[in-house]
Coordinates of all heavy atoms in Angstrom, one line a residue:
E1 N 11.4 -25.5 -18.6 CA 12.4 -24.4 -18.3 C 12.3 -24.0 -16.8 O 13.1 -23.4 -16.2 CB 12.2 -23.2 -19.2 CG 12.8 -23.3 -20.6 CD 14.3 -23.0 -20.6 OE1 14.7 -22.1 -19.8 OE2 15.0 -23.5 -21.4
N2 N 11.1 -24.4 -16.3 CA 10.7 -23.9 -15.0 C 11.1 -24.9 -13.9 O 10.2 -25.3 -13.1 CB 9.2 -23.5 -14.9 CG 8.8 -22.8 -13.6 OD1 9.6 -22.0 -13.1 ND2 7.7 -23.1 -13.1
T3 N 12.3 -25.4 -13.9 CA 12.7 -26.4 -12.8 C 12.9 -25.6 -11.6 O 13.4 -24.4 -11.6 CB 14.0 -27.1 -13.2 OG1 15.0 -26.1 -13.5 CG2 13.8 -27.9 -14.4
R4 N 12.6 -26.1 -10.5 CA 12.5 -25.4 -9.2 C 13.2 -26.2 -8.1 O 13.1 -27.4 -8.0 CB 11.1 -25.1 -8.8 CG 10.3 -24.1 -9.7 CD 10.6 -22.7 -9.3 NE 10.0 -21.8 -10.2 CZ 10.0 -20.5 -10.1 NH1 10.5 -20.0 -8.9 NH2 9.4 -19.6 -10.9
A5 N 13.6 -25.4 -7.1 CA 14.2 -26.0 -5.8 C 13.5 -25.4 -4.6 O 13.4 -24.2 -4.6 CB 15.7 -25.8 -5.7
A6 N 12.9 -26.1 -3.8 CA 12.2 -25.6 -2.6 C 12.9 -26.1 -1.4 O 13.1 -27.3 -1.1 CB 10.8 -26.1 -2.5
Y7 N 13.4 -25.1 -0.6 CA 14.3 -25.5 0.5 C 14.1 -24.5 1.7 O 13.7 -23.4 1.5 CB 15.8 -25.5 0.1 CG 16.2 -24.2 -0.7 CD1 16.7 -23.1 0.1 CD2 16.1 -24.2 -2.0 CE1 17.1 -22.0 -0.7 CE2 16.6 -23.0 -2.8 CZ 17.0 -22.0 -2.1 OH 17.4 -20.9 -2.8
P8 N 14.4 -25.0 2.9 CA 14.3 -24.0 4.1 C 15.3 -22.9 4.0 O 16.4 -23.2 3.5 CB 14.5 -24.9 5.3 CG 15.1 -26.1 4.8 CD 14.8 -26.3 3.3
I9 N 15.1 -21.7 4.4 CA 15.9 -20.6 4.3 C 17.3 -20.9 5.0 O 18.3 -20.3 4.8 CB 15.3 -19.3 4.6 CG1 16.0 -18.1 4.0 CG2 15.1 -19.2 6.2 CD1 15.3 -16.8 4.1
A10 N 17.2 -21.7 6.1 CA 18.4 -22.1 6.8 C 19.5 -22.7 6.0 O 20.6 -22.8 6.3 CB 18.0 -23.1 8.0
H11 N 19.1 -23.2 4.8 CA 20.1 -23.8 3.8 C 21.0 -22.7 3.3 O 22.1 -23.1 2.8 CB 19.4 -24.5 2.7 CG 18.9 -25.9 3.0 ND1 18.9 -26.4 4.2 CD2 18.5 -26.9 2.2 CE1 18.4 -27.7 4.2 NE2 18.2 -28.0 3.0
I12 N 20.6 -21.5 3.3 CA 21.4 -20.4 2.9 C 22.3 -19.9 4.0 O 21.7 -19.4 5.0 CB 20.6 -19.2 2.3 CG1 19.7 -19.6 1.2 CG2 21.4 -18.0 2.0 CD1 20.4 -19.7 -0.2
P13 N 23.6 -20.0 3.9 CA 24.5 -19.7 5.1 C 24.3 -18.2 5.5 O 24.4 -17.9 6.7 CB 25.9 -19.9 4.5 CG 25.7 -20.9 3.4 CD 24.4 -20.6 2.9
S14 N 24.0 -17.3 4.6 CA 23.9 -15.8 5.0 C 22.6 -15.5 5.4 O 22.2 -14.3 5.6 CB 24.4 -15.0 3.8 OG 23.5 -15.2 2.6
A15 N 21.6 -16.4 5.4 CA 20.2 -16.1 5.8 C 20.1 -15.7 7.2 O 20.7 -16.3 8.2 CB 19.3 -17.2 5.4
M16 N 19.2 -14.7 7.5 CA 18.8 -14.3 8.9 C 17.5 -15.0 9.2 O 16.4 -14.8 8.7 CB 18.6 -12.8 8.9 CG 18.4 -12.3 10.4 SD 18.2 -10.5 10.4 CE 19.9 -10.0 10.0
R17 N 17.6 -16.1 10.0 CA 16.5 -17.0 10.3 C 15.3 -16.3 10.9 O 14.2 -16.7 10.7 CB 17.0 -18.2 11.1 CG 18.0 -19.0 10.4 CD 18.3 -20.3 11.3 NE 19.3 -21.1 10.7 CZ 19.6 -22.3 11.0 NH1 18.9 -22.9 11.9 NH2 20.6 -23.0 10.6
E18 N 15.6 -15.2 11.6 CA 14.4 -14.5 12.3 C 13.5 -13.9 11.3 O 12.3 -13.8 11.5 CB 15.0 -13.3 13.2 CG 15.8 -13.9 14.4 CD 17.3 -14.1 13.9 OE1 17.6 -13.9 12.8 OE2 18.1 -14.5 14.8
G19 N 14.1 -13.6 10.1 CA 13.2 -13.1 8.9 C 12.6 -11.7 9.2 O 11.6 -11.4 8.5
V20 N 13.2 -10.9 10.0 CA 12.7 -9.5 10.2 C 13.9 -8.6 10.3 O 15.0 -9.0 10.6 CB 11.9 -9.4 11.6 CG1 10.7 -10.3 11.5 CG2 12.7 -9.8 12.8
C21 N 13.7 -7.3 9.9 CA 14.7 -6.3 9.9 C 14.0 -5.0 10.0 O 12.8 -4.9 9.9 CB 15.7 -6.4 8.8 SG 14.9 -6.0 7.2
G22 N 14.8 -3.9 10.0 CA 14.2 -2.5 10.1 C 13.7 -2.1 8.7 O 13.6 -2.8 7.8
H23 N 13.4 -0.7 8.6 CA 12.9 -0.2 7.4 C 14.1 -0.2 6.3 O 15.2 0.0 6.7 CB 12.4 1.2 7.6 CG 11.3 1.3 8.6 ND1 10.0 0.9 8.3 CD2 11.2 1.7 9.9 CE1 9.2 1.0 9.3 NE2 9.9 1.5 10.3
P24 N 13.7 -0.2 5.1 CA 14.8 -0.2 4.0 C 15.4 1.1 3.8 O 14.7 2.2 4.0 CB 14.0 -0.7 2.8 CG 12.6 -0.3 3.0 CD 12.4 -0.4 4.5
K25 N 16.6 1.1 3.4 CA 17.3 2.3 3.1 C 17.3 2.5 1.5 O 17.3 3.6 1.0 CB 18.8 2.3 3.5 CG 19.7 3.5 3.1 CD 21.1 3.4 3.7 CE 21.9 4.6 3.3 NZ 23.3 4.4 3.7
N26 N 17.2 1.4 0.8 CA 17.0 1.4 -0.6 C 16.0 0.4 -1.1 O 15.8 -0.7 -0.5 CB 18.4 0.9 -1.3 CG 19.4 1.9 -1.1 OD1 19.6 2.9 -1.8 ND2 20.3 1.7 0.0
V27 N 15.3 0.8 -2.2 CA 14.4 -0.1 -2.9 C 14.9 -0.1 -4.4 O 15.2 0.9 -5.0 CB 12.9 0.5 -2.9 CG1 12.1 -0.2 -4.0 CG2 12.3 0.3 -1.6
V28 N 15.1 -1.4 -4.9 CA 15.6 -1.7 -6.2 C 14.5 -2.3 -6.9 O 14.1 -3.5 -6.6 CB 16.8 -2.5 -6.2 CG1 17.4 -2.7 -7.6 CG2 18.0 -1.8 -5.3
M29 N 14.1 -1.8 -8.1 CA 13.1 -2.4 -9.0 C 13.9 -3.0 -10.2 O 14.5 -2.2 -10.9 CB 12.1 -1.4 -9.5 CG 11.3 -0.8 -8.3 SD 9.9 0.3 -8.8 CE 9.5 0.9 -7.2
L30 N 13.7 -4.3 -10.4 CA 14.5 -5.0 -11.4 C 13.7 -5.2 -12.7 O 12.5 -5.5 -12.6 CB 14.9 -6.4 -10.9 CG 15.8 -6.4 -9.7 CD1 15.9 -7.8 -9.2 CD2 17.1 -5.7 -9.9
T31 N 14.3 -5.0 -13.8 CA 13.7 -5.3 -15.1 C 14.7 -6.0 -16.0 O 15.9 -5.8 -15.8 CB 13.2 -4.1 -15.8 OG1 12.5 -4.4 -17.0 CG2 14.3 -3.1 -16.2
C32 N 14.2 -6.8 -16.8 CA 15.1 -7.5 -17.9 C 14.6 -7.0 -19.2 O 13.7 -7.5 -19.8 CB 15.0 -9.1 -17.8 SG 16.0 -9.9 -19.0
D33 N 15.2 -5.9 -19.6 CA 14.8 -5.3 -20.9 C 15.5 -5.9 -22.0 O 16.7 -5.7 -22.3 CB 15.2 -3.7 -20.8 CG 14.8 -3.0 -22.1 OD1 13.9 -3.5 -22.8 OD2 15.4 -2.0 -22.4
A34 N 14.7 -6.6 -22.8 CA 15.2 -7.3 -24.0 C 15.5 -6.4 -25.2 O 15.9 -6.9 -26.2 CB 14.4 -8.5 -24.3
F35 N 14.9 -5.2 -25.1 CA 15.0 -4.3 -26.3 C 16.3 -3.5 -26.2 O 16.7 -2.8 -27.2 CB 13.9 -3.3 -26.3 CG 12.5 -4.0 -26.4 CD1 11.7 -4.2 -25.3 CD2 12.1 -4.5 -27.6 CE1 10.5 -4.8 -25.4 CE2 10.9 -5.1 -27.7 CZ 10.1 -5.3 -26.6
G36 N 17.0 -3.6 -25.1 CA 18.4 -2.8 -25.0 C 18.2 -1.4 -24.8 O 19.1 -0.5 -25.1
V37 N 17.0 -1.0 -24.4 CA 16.7 0.5 -24.2 C 17.0 1.1 -22.9 O 17.6 2.2 -22.7 CB 15.2 0.8 -24.6 CG1 14.8 2.2 -24.2 CG2 15.0 0.4 -26.0
M38 N 16.6 0.4 -21.8 CA 16.8 0.9 -20.4 C 18.3 0.9 -20.0 O 19.1 -0.1 -20.4 CB 16.0 -0.1 -19.4 CG 14.6 0.0 -19.6 SD 14.0 1.5 -18.7 CE 12.2 1.3 -18.7
P39 N 18.6 1.9 -19.3 CA 20.1 1.8 -18.8 C 20.2 0.8 -17.7 O 19.3 0.3 -17.1 CB 20.2 3.3 -18.2 CG 18.8 3.7 -17.8 CD 17.9 3.0 -18.8
P40 N 21.5 0.4 -17.5 CA 21.6 -0.6 -16.4 C 21.3 -0.2 -15.1 O 20.9 -1.0 -14.3 CB 23.2 -0.9 -16.5 CG 23.6 -0.5 -17.9 CD 22.7 0.6 -18.3
L41 N 21.2 1.1 -14.8 CA 20.8 1.7 -13.5 C 20.3 3.1 -13.7 O 20.9 3.8 -14.4 CB 21.9 1.6 -12.5 CG 21.5 2.0 -11.0 CD1 20.7 0.9 -10.4 CD2 22.7 2.3 -10.2
A42 N 19.1 3.3 -12.9 CA 18.7 4.7 -12.9 C 18.2 5.0 -11.5 O 17.7 4.1 -10.8 CB 17.5 4.9 -13.9
R43 N 18.2 6.2 -11.2 CA 17.7 6.7 -9.8 C 16.4 7.3 -10.0 O 16.1 8.1 -10.9 CB 18.7 7.7 -9.2 CG 18.3 8.2 -7.8 CD 19.5 8.9 -7.2 NE 19.8 10.2 -7.8 CZ 20.7 11.0 -7.5 NH1 21.5 10.7 -6.5 NH2 20.9 12.2 -8.2
L44 N 15.4 6.9 -9.1 CA 14.0 7.3 -9.2 C 13.6 8.2 -8.1 O 14.0 8.1 -7.0 CB 13.1 6.1 -9.2 CG 13.4 4.9 -10.2 CD1 12.5 3.8 -9.9 CD2 13.3 5.4 -11.7
T45 N 12.7 9.3 -8.5 CA 12.0 10.0 -7.5 C 10.9 9.2 -6.9 O 10.5 8.1 -7.5 CB 11.5 11.3 -8.1 OG1 10.4 10.9 -9.1 CG2 12.5 12.1 -8.9
P46 N 10.3 9.6 -5.8 CA 9.2 8.8 -5.3 C 8.0 8.7 -6.2 O 7.4 7.6 -6.3 CB 8.7 9.7 -4.0 CG 10.0 10.2 -3.6 CD 10.7 10.7 -4.8
A47 N 7.8 9.7 -7.1 CA 6.7 9.7 -8.1 C 7.0 8.7 -9.1 O 6.2 7.8 -9.6 CB 6.4 11.0 -8.7

């Protein structure tokens, strides 16, 4: 199931080749909840 593709990031047309940017405005933590409990999106405090 773990088939993989390894390619230079330049293969992605929208990639920024320099690989650097400023500080983030948003942090998104992803989960795949198979129990159907978590909402599709929630806003988090720093804690």
Side-chain angles (χ1 to χ4, degrees):
E1 280 275 329
N2 190 36
T3 57
R4 294 274 176 172
Y7 49 88
I9 200 167
H11 277 11
I12 298 283
S14 62
M16 186 179 290
R17 297 191 186 192
E18 297 83 358
V20 297
C21 64
H23 298 287
K25 183 179 178 181
N26 291 276
V27 164
V28 182
M29 299 183 187
L30 303 171
T31 182
C32 176
D33 178 25
F35 301 100
V37 170
M38 289 284 192
L41 185 71
R43 185 167 64 183
L44 306 177
T45 65

